[in-house]
Amino acid sequence: MIMLKKTSRTFYIPISRLKASLKEAVASAYLCMRAIDEIEDHETISDDLKVDLLQGIHEAFQSSDVINESQKVLAPYGDVLADVTMRIHEWAQLCPPTVNEVVYRHIAKMSKQMSEWVHVSWIIKTEEDLDNYTYSVAGMVGEMLSEIWLWFDGTKTDQHKAVAFGRGLQAVNILRNRTEDLERGVDFFPDGWGSKEMIKYTRRNLKIADSYIADLKGGPALEFCKIPLTLAHATVNLIAAGGNKLTRDAVMKLVGSIN
């Protein structure tokens, strides 16, 4: 939970409120995904090395010994990779054995798709490209969470809406990180798009995400999803008005207002 708090103030709050085994499953998944995300976004290592590491994680998480195989992949790079990345084996071990197949499968899939995006230098020309990218790094998180809700208490959810939930949150990140992404030579906006078009895309997906959580009839899935979705709506509204990032006080006030 200390590492979770360091790496995401958005997800630390809802994950910390979950019950024991569910908390471990979602925290494990989030931290593993943060671990590979730090490889994809690393500022100094080469794209070729990123591809090799992400492919290595893909293979490790498909193997019969995820813990040792993932350590082997990362061990030579402890001096350059983030702590959250180097400890991916710890986050994998945290996952309850009865649901680790779900988490490991999605980590393997995400690693592979991230490696493919690095390989093509994140070239996004069309809305379809954007859909594919936001699915790779976030839409499938929605799918994974849906499987975790089903495992925990039998909660069934709409997979299409689950993808939009993840996709909408990622689109908010793309809007919020626009300047930094351009400075590192990456443009996630399709050709001809400005903020207006990306805000429209984001809101369209968040509207579907609203429908996703409206289908949840109480329980931990609903309690979890309401927080990041509320923050996402508030952030896109702030960006549309010319701002960029919610203050810590604004975040806590919004969280406190959620019923």
Side-chain angles (χ1 to χ4, degrees):
M1 297 308 291
I2 292 169
M3 181 61 75
L4 192 63
K5 195 169 187 177
K6 282 183 184 177
T7 53
S8 175
R9 66 178 183 176
T10 300
F11 283 99
Y12 171 76
I13 299 168
I15 292 175
S16 66
R17 296 181 176 189
L18 294 173
K19 296 176 183 177
S21 62
L22 184 59
K23 180 193 288 188
E24 290 167 352
V26 179
S28 166
Y30 179 84
L31 286 165
C32 285
M33 289 179 172
R34 172 58 67 181
I36 59 174
D37 187 54
E38 288 287 339
I39 296 174
E40 184 197 10
D41 292 341
H42 201 287
E43 293 182 355
T44 59
I45 65 175
S46 70
D47 286 354
D48 285 345
L49 179 54
K50 289 180 181 182
V51 170
D52 288 346
L53 291 174
L54 289 165
Q55 288 282 7
I57 294 296
H58 164 69
E59 292 165 10
F61 272 75
Q62 286 190 311
S63 74
S64 58
D65 189 358
V66 170
I67 309 307
N68 285 319
E69 291 302 316
S70 59
Q71 283 181 286
K72 284 181 192 175
V73 171
L74 301 176
Y77 306 100
D79 57 336
V80 291
L81 295 176
D83 191 30
V84 68
T85 303
M86 293 303 300
R87 295 170 64 186
I88 195 170
H89 61 286
E90 293 182 41
W91 321 138
Q93 281 181 301
L94 178 64
C95 193
T98 51
V99 74
N100 65 17
E101 182 279 328
V102 171
V103 172
Y104 294 178
R105 171 164 39 89
H106 283 89
I107 300 303
K109 183 178 178 183
M110 183 178 282
S111 294
K112 184 173 189 296
Q113 293 196 12
M114 277 185 176
S115 75
E116 292 166 353
W117 281 105
V118 175
H119 183 66
V120 299
S121 301
W122 302 274
I123 297 297
I124 291 174
K125 297 289 187 184
T126 65
E127 185 172 339
E128 183 181 3
D129 293 337
L130 178 61
D131 274 343
N132 289 336
Y133 177 73
T134 52
Y135 172 76
S136 294
V137 298
M140 74 170 72
V141 180
E143 291 180 330
M144 179 197 66
L145 287 172
S146 286
E147 289 193 50
I148 292 175
W149 311 142
L150 184 64
W151 158 79
F152 182 69
D153 62 7
T155 295
K156 294 181 180 178
T157 53
D158 183 305
Q159 288 288 306
H160 168 72
K161 293 178 182 178
V163 169
F165 173 73
R167 184 173 274 147
L169 300 188
Q170 183 62 29
V172 172
N173 287 337
I174 289 172
L175 278 166
R176 193 163 51 83
N177 299 328
R178 174 73 167 154
T179 302
E180 293 89 333
D181 288 334
L182 290 176
E183 284 174 354
R184 66 189 180 97
V186 180
D187 187 356
F188 293 110
F189 283 38
D191 290 350
W193 279 33
S195 294
K196 181 181 175 183
E197 290 78 12
M198 186 61 82
I199 287 171
K200 185 178 178 182
Y201 173 88
T202 304
R203 284 179 164 156
R204 185 169 72 246
N205 280 288
L206 292 180
K207 187 174 180 180
I208 300 170
D210 288 336
S211 178
Y212 172 72
I213 72 164
D215 294 341
L216 299 171
K217 309 302 182 187
L222 178 60
E223 295 304 310
F224 176 89
C225 293
K226 280 195 295 189
I227 293 175
L229 187 53
T230 297
L231 296 177
H233 276 295
T235 302
V236 76
N237 289 340
L238 179 65
I239 290 169
N244 181 262
K245 190 174 182 179
L246 294 171
T247 65
R248 181 173 178 78
D249 285 346
V251 169
M252 298 313 296
K253 189 173 181 180
L254 283 164
V255 171
S257 71
I258 296 169
N259 296 320

